[in-house]
Amino acid sequence: MKKFVIGNWKMNGDALEVHEYVHDLKNALEGMPCSVGVAVPSLYLPQLTALLGRIPVSVVAQDVSQFKGSGAYTGEISAAMLRDAGCDYVLIGHSERRQYFDEDEMVLQQKILCACDAGLTPIYCVGENLEQRLQCHYLQVLDKQLEALEAVRGHLPDTVWVAYEPVWAIGTGKVADAGQIAEVHAFLAARLAEILPGRCHAHLLYGGSVKAANAREILALPGVDGVLVGSASLTVAELSRIIAEAGAPV
Ligand code: PGA
């Protein structure tokens, strides 16, 4: 299976940058050795979809409403609206959503449900903070976070994505080392095999200070099916180096 490289812009960029990014990305994708997705702020998703046209890059939403259908939820964007805007995937439970918007497993399971019902593939993000890592609680923390997926197991599509993003590695320049990533990915794969229905297969991404200089090593680790890239995805130059590393021999 091809590796999946997803760029998450977070709350960065503007319409002009989306335009220039797609223009430059087209050239970077020649002979692309991996699958690529881009998560821009929701306001720019329709623009991204339109500019990409037939370019094989997946449009990824950064978040989705927990509320089903439509209605009086000022400021919210529903899963169906994201589908309408051309999205195939949606990030759910990113640590910044958990931290700044108090999203817990109850809210996140509603979001996963809404995404799945609308035909979006969820990319469910999990990860421990520094204190939990230092106190060696991280596997329990991750296990608890997986409960949101387990709770809606009957509604999941046949393929789901889980991104392991240790909070202490996000935007800090500190990357989890090979042993740490391999350990957690093996744990997640084993737990997901237990809690997901037999028809359902989970793929695993790693995220947290991924850049061209470390992408090859991370992508070569057992159980790493791709990377979720934040700040290094903001320029096509760096993202294309990561894409190239995804196909490089190890
Ligand atoms: P970073 O962010 O690559 O800037 O550390 C990763 C993420 O939050 O997905």
Side-chain angles (χ1 to χ4, degrees), residues 4 9 26 67 72 75 87 106 119 121 161 178 189 208 212 224 235 246:
F4 198 5
W9 280 27
K26 265 186 217 164
F67 298 106
C87 295
M106 287 302 287
T121 300
W161 288 80
V224 176
T235 65

Side-chain angles (χ1 to χ4, degrees), residues 6-8 10 91 94-96 125 163 165-167 169-174 206-211 228-233:
I6 302 178
N8 173 15
K10 309 192 180 184
L91 303 180
H94 189 282
S95 65
E96 288 147 18
C125 304
E165 298 204 297
V167 179
I170 295 178
T172 58
K174 283 191 201 128
Y206 170 79
S209 297
V210 175
K211 50 183 192 262
L228 182 52
V229 186
S231 54
S233 72

Side-chain angles (χ1 to χ4, degrees), residues 89-119:
Y89 296 88
V90 56
L91 303 180
I92 295 180
H94 189 282
S95 65
E96 288 147 18
R97 303 290 319 171
R98 293 176 189 264
Q99 184 183 346
Y100 302 126
F101 303 93
D102 287 332
E103 294 186 0
D104 60 14
E105 274 63 51
M106 287 302 287
V107 168
L108 296 174
Q109 77 183 52
Q110 294 308 318
K111 292 191 174 205
I112 297 169
L113 204 55
C114 288
C116 296
D117 285 354

